[in-house]
Each structure stands twice: as structure tokens, then as C-alpha cells.
Amino acid sequence: MKLKAVLTGHTYQFKSLREVMAKANEEKSGDHLAGIAADTAEERIAAKIVLSHISLRDIRNTPALPYENDFVTRIIQEDINETIFAELQSMTVGEFREWLLDDHTDGEMIRRAGRGLTSEIIAAVCKLMSNLDLITAAAKITVTTHCNTTIGQKGTFSSRLQPNHPTDDPKGVLASVMEGLSYGCGDAVIGLNPVTDSVESVSTILRTLDGFIQDWQIPTQFCVLAHITTQMDAVKKGAPCTLMFQSLAGSEMGNAAFGVSEQMLAEGYDMMLHEGTGTGPDVMYFETGQGSELSSNSHNGWDQVVMEARCYGLARHYNPFLVNTVVGFIGPEYLYDSRQVTRAGLEDHFMGKLSGLPMGCDVCYTNHMKADQNDMENLITLLAAAGVTYVMGVPQGDDCMLNYQSTGFHDIATVRELFHRTPAPEFTRWLEKMGFLHNGKLTKLAGDGSVFLKKEAV
């Protein structure tokens, strides 16, 4: 590999592909914190020039962590379609970027190519793309999955209804569920982050959500985002569960910091295939987010984008129904302001889609970050243009349990109207039957959760 570039009379010599990849990354506070970011914009451009001339073969041969020491690397490498990789391996990263953006390259061609790409390759091409490039390439790709319903179809824009409650009170949870459903939210999943990660509490919430969904015959999925072992124990004790959740990291050490092993993921996947209450075949739900590996010192000197891409390489091994990045949740240490959050959201969405995943995004920020709700509205609009599968629906966009800001029920309704999108087809029919939707428009019942108290369950 040639790791040198001359720019404006100055020679930039990089020591390794790892250094090139880090310094080619768009500016992120996390990369500065790790001491691996480019010192100047000119050095960043030089790194991009070097990266553009490196072959896909050379990048595959330089994984972020050694095959022998890291199960994430092993899964990524062993899942590659070797026939497809052989067709692509001699291309440079720059040539591959041009191919992705070419008018003659369609979504099916890109989906096929993705099966032959390691996560490091996907991260590399991402670094050479502008925000508009990321939107353009991602918008070409369609990824559909099925659990109880089908999401990701062209012309749809789905949402996770997130009814978090400060005390996990079932009545409070259901109040948020009712309101969100009345606005047309929840077709991707009704998914709650529990306050208490105990088998008893998780089982109670699972049964509460299952009972409500069964009573009203709602075509959707439900999930409690507890640790995977807690969910497995709940299922073993008879709790209903349509999706198994877990947060992922891009290295074995990072997953260990989450208390997760390769065996646990395989066990959870197998349990859901054989004991889950969803129709399937896609029965897993994963969340990711740039910076988690740095926070646990498990990044091995690689940048946030590379480590995030590896999360997607791990996720696709389990054929998930849902994946989303929680883009601004960790805080300004890793993504300092709205510009960095916007860039990361578009990067993550593109990399997930190119990995063949049903990619969603929690468009969010914490209150100590230099961002506000207008910035989140900008990002959700850009992601909708990029064909994002789903986003979060949180009451008033303000999570009263996790204490961060996300997107609200109104945001999802507005984006659907603006881009002429609908919920998943089965869910759309249910909304029409309930009177919440008519001819693709929300009715006067939108926002009136008391409908569920006044009517008999269907």
C-alpha cells in the first residue's frame, strides 16, 4: 500500500492503514479524544487521497482486530461471499465510491455487492463520501425484513413507539402506547427501555404489551430492551417475546463491556427462532452508536466510523428485523455538536444499508451537547430523503426515563406527509380500521389515546 501523498507542496507520510482511516474521517470529537484525528483539514484531505487509491483487497487484509483474537472479526470475515468479493477486490476505494454513485448502479446491484464487503471496506468508502453522497447511495438501497409485519418497503416510513416510564408503571406505559398509536406510530416495534433490568419487571412489561396488542389485534412487534440474558430468562419462564434485543459493539472487548459474548448472541437468536412468539424469520433487534468502543477502551486505536461499521458486520450475522444507531446519545465527548451528529447519522445509515441491514436511527441528542430540536428535525428530514427504515416515536420527543431528546409522534406524521410515505402496509390497514387514518391522512382522532378506553377491543 502506498501511504504517502503530496498536497500543496507538503508530503504527508502515514504509518499505517489504521492512521490513514482515522485521519480520513470527518471531524469527530471522539477521534480527537482518542488522539487519532487529523491535525488539520489539509492532513484530512491528504489521508482521503491516500485512502482513495488503496484496493478493497488490501483493506480486507487489514482488519481492525486480529482474526485470532476477536470474534467480531471472525464473524465479519467468515460471512463474506467470496465470489462477490473476488469480483470487487481489485477496485480502489475511490473507484468503488464512483461505482456506488453511478446512475447505472441500482439498489439491487449495491445490495449484492454488500454481501462481498467487510465492514472496514464499508467504513473506508464512507469516509470518501459527502453528506449528499451518503444520502444518494443509501436511497438506492431497499432492505425489507419480516417479523409479524414487513418493514422497509419502498414508500414506507416506520417508527418505533418508545413508551418509556420512570417507574415502569404498566398504566403509564400503556398511556404512551395509546397516544403513539393514535398518531400512527409503532409499526416497526413497540419497544420499551426498562428502568429495572430484572426478570420479573421485564416479564410484567412483556405480558402487558402482548396483552394490549392481542386485545386490539395490532399488526406489530414488541420488545423490552433489557440485557439479552434477562430477556432469555424471561422467555424461559414463559414470558411472550417477539423480538430479542441487545446493544452491540464492534470488538470482542467492547461487547464484553456490555456483558455480551458470542455464545450469548447465538443462544438468544436460537431461542427466538424456537421459542419466540413472533412469526419471523427475522427476530433480533440491535442498537449501536459511534463512540461506545472508545468509552470502554476497546477500539484498538481505530476510529469511530470503522468500529461502528463492524457493529453492522456483526449484526447481519443474525438476520435482524431491526437495527438502529442511537446517534447522539453518548454525548459531546464523541459527537460534539449538531454538525457531527448529522454526519454520524448519515454515515451510520449508509453503512448499515450497505451491510444489508434494515437500518433505522434514533435521531437524538443529550442536553449537554451543542444541538437542539431544530437540528434533529434537519437530520430526520435528511434521513427520510436517504430512505431510512424507521425512527423513534417518543412522547413530545422528550424521554422522561432516559433523559434525552429524540423525535416525537408529530415529527413522524409530518415527515410521512412531506415525503408521501406511509406506515407498513398491515399497520396502515389497521389504522384505517381504527379511524386514525383515512386516505393516507391522520383524522381528528389523532392524538386521542382515549379511543382505546371508549371502544371495545376488536
Side-chain angles (χ1 to χ4, degrees):
M1 286 182 286
K2 182 182 176 184
L3 301 178
K4 181 172 69 174
V6 179
L7 192 62
T8 62
H10 182 84
T11 299
Y12 290 89
Q13 178 69 57
F14 302 99
K15 298 184 182 73
S16 63
L17 176 63
R18 177 169 59 184
E19 183 183 8
V20 171
M21 292 275 268
K23 293 191 172 182
N25 198 23
E26 291 297 302
E27 187 173 15
K28 304 283 173 61
S29 55
D31 292 337
H32 283 289
L33 182 65
I36 59 176
D39 291 328
T40 64
E42 190 174 83
E43 186 181 28
R44 182 174 300 111
I45 292 168
K48 288 178 186 285
I49 291 170
V50 170
L51 183 58
S52 72
H53 293 293
I54 295 175
S55 72
L56 305 193
R57 181 195 307 108
D58 284 340
I59 292 178
R60 182 181 183 184
N61 291 337
T62 315
L65 288 109
Y67 180 94
E68 300 78 16
N69 301 336
D70 188 89
F71 81 80
V72 179
T73 298
R74 290 194 292 274
I75 284 175
I76 291 169
Q77 294 283 349
E78 291 169 8
D79 282 353
I80 293 302
N81 183 304
E82 297 294 350
T83 300
I84 297 173
F85 175 72
E87 297 170 9
L88 303 170
Q89 62 178 328
S90 62
M91 296 177 73
T92 65
V93 179
E95 289 169 342
F96 185 58
R97 171 190 173 274
E98 293 300 312
W99 180 82
L100 287 171
L101 296 171
D102 192 289
D103 287 344
H104 300 291
T105 304
D106 63 26
E108 287 303 309
M109 295 164 67
I110 296 174
R111 277 293 307 275
R112 179 180 180 275
R115 297 179 60 218
L117 303 176
T118 64
S119 301
E120 287 83 355
I121 293 171
I122 290 170
V125 73
C126 179
K127 294 168 186 291
L128 299 187
M129 301 177 85
S130 70
N131 286 5
L132 189 56
D133 291 342
L134 295 171
I135 293 168
T136 301
K140 294 183 180 185
I141 308 168
T142 300
V143 180
T144 60
T145 52
H146 186 276
C147 184
N148 289 334
T149 59
T150 301
I151 60 168
Q153 294 162 291
K154 283 283 188 184
T156 63
F157 180 77
S158 296
S159 66
R160 168 186 156 195
L161 202 172
Q162 186 170 307
N164 294 350
H165 190 276
T167 64
D168 288 342
D169 178 12
K171 290 183 179 178
V173 169
L174 287 182
S176 292
V177 169
M178 292 173 189
E179 182 187 17
L181 289 170
S182 75
Y183 278 113
C185 297
D187 55 325
V189 65
I190 300 174
L192 177 136
N193 299 89
V195 176
T196 306
D197 195 307
S198 70
V199 175
E200 294 73 20
S201 179
V202 168
S203 296
T204 296
I205 300 167
L206 285 169
R207 290 193 176 94
T208 298
L209 294 176
D210 180 60
F212 185 82
I213 289 169
Q214 294 293 336
D215 286 345
W216 292 94
Q217 296 181 19
I218 307 168
T220 191
Q221 299 68 221
F222 63 94
C223 181
V224 174
L225 285 72
H227 191 271
I228 190 169
T229 54
T230 307
Q231 294 168 83
M232 286 195 287
D233 286 344
V235 171
K236 286 175 186 174
K237 294 186 176 181
C241 186
T242 56
L243 286 174
M244 182 73 71
F245 167 83
Q246 182 55 49
S247 294
L248 296 181
S251 66
E252 182 169 333
M253 189 183 298
N255 283 294
F258 285 147
V260 176
S261 67
E262 181 180 10
Q263 182 182 355
M264 281 180 201
L265 293 172
E267 249 181 75
Y269 183 37
D270 183 70
M271 174 178 283
M272 291 306 294
L273 289 175
H274 295 95
E275 298 178 50
T277 56
T279 306
D282 307 312
V283 292
M284 300 296 284
Y285 175 16
F286 298 120
E287 281 191 337
T288 67
Q290 288 191 32
S292 62
E293 296 83 11
L294 177 58
S295 69
S296 59
N297 196 28
S298 62
H299 60 108
N300 197 35
W302 288 77
D303 64 89
Q304 294 182 180
V305 171
V306 168
M307 298 309 295
E308 179 71 7
R310 284 169 56 89
C311 295
Y312 305 140
L314 173 59
R316 69 180 172 186
H317 183 70
Y318 303 99
N319 301 309
F321 177 69
L322 298 172
V323 179
N324 68 260
T325 171
V326 190
V327 68
F329 184 72
I330 301 181
E333 301 88 348
Y334 307 102
L335 298 171
Y336 180 70
D337 56 17
S338 60
R339 182 173 63 86
Q340 293 187 16
V341 170
T342 297
R343 174 69 189 187
L346 296 176
E347 288 171 339
D348 296 353
H349 176 250
F350 163 76
M351 293 192 297
K353 279 281 205 69
L354 187 51
S355 301
L357 297 174
M359 198 65 196
C361 184
D362 190 345
V363 180
C364 63
Y365 67 101
T366 55
N367 288 311
H368 62 312
M369 179 183 289
K370 286 186 176 293
D372 60 26
Q373 205 64 33
N374 284 329
D375 298 315
M376 299 306 104
E377 290 179 6
N378 291 342
L379 180 52
I380 193 177
T381 304
L382 294 173
L383 285 168
V388 73
T389 302
Y390 71 102
V391 296
M392 306 298 133
V394 179
Q396 299 300 314
D398 183 2
D399 194 299
C400 61
M401 191 279 282
L402 290 173
N403 195 30
Y404 79 116
Q405 313 306 310
S406 186
T407 46
F409 304 146
H410 298 79
D411 301 320
I412 292 156
T414 301
V415 169
R416 282 175 178 160
E417 186 167 339
L418 182 63
F419 285 90
H420 307 291
R421 306 280 173 82
T422 67
E426 308 95 321
F427 196 78
T428 296
R429 291 191 290 270
W430 179 83
L431 290 171
E432 290 172 344
K433 183 175 72 172
M434 290 293 295
F436 297 128
L437 204 65
H438 181 68
N439 290 332
K441 300 279 190 179
L442 287 173
T443 69
K444 291 182 179 180
L445 291 178
D448 185 3
S450 70
V451 168
F452 294 98
L453 305 176
K454 297 172 184 175
K455 293 183 179 179
E456 298 252 349
V458 293

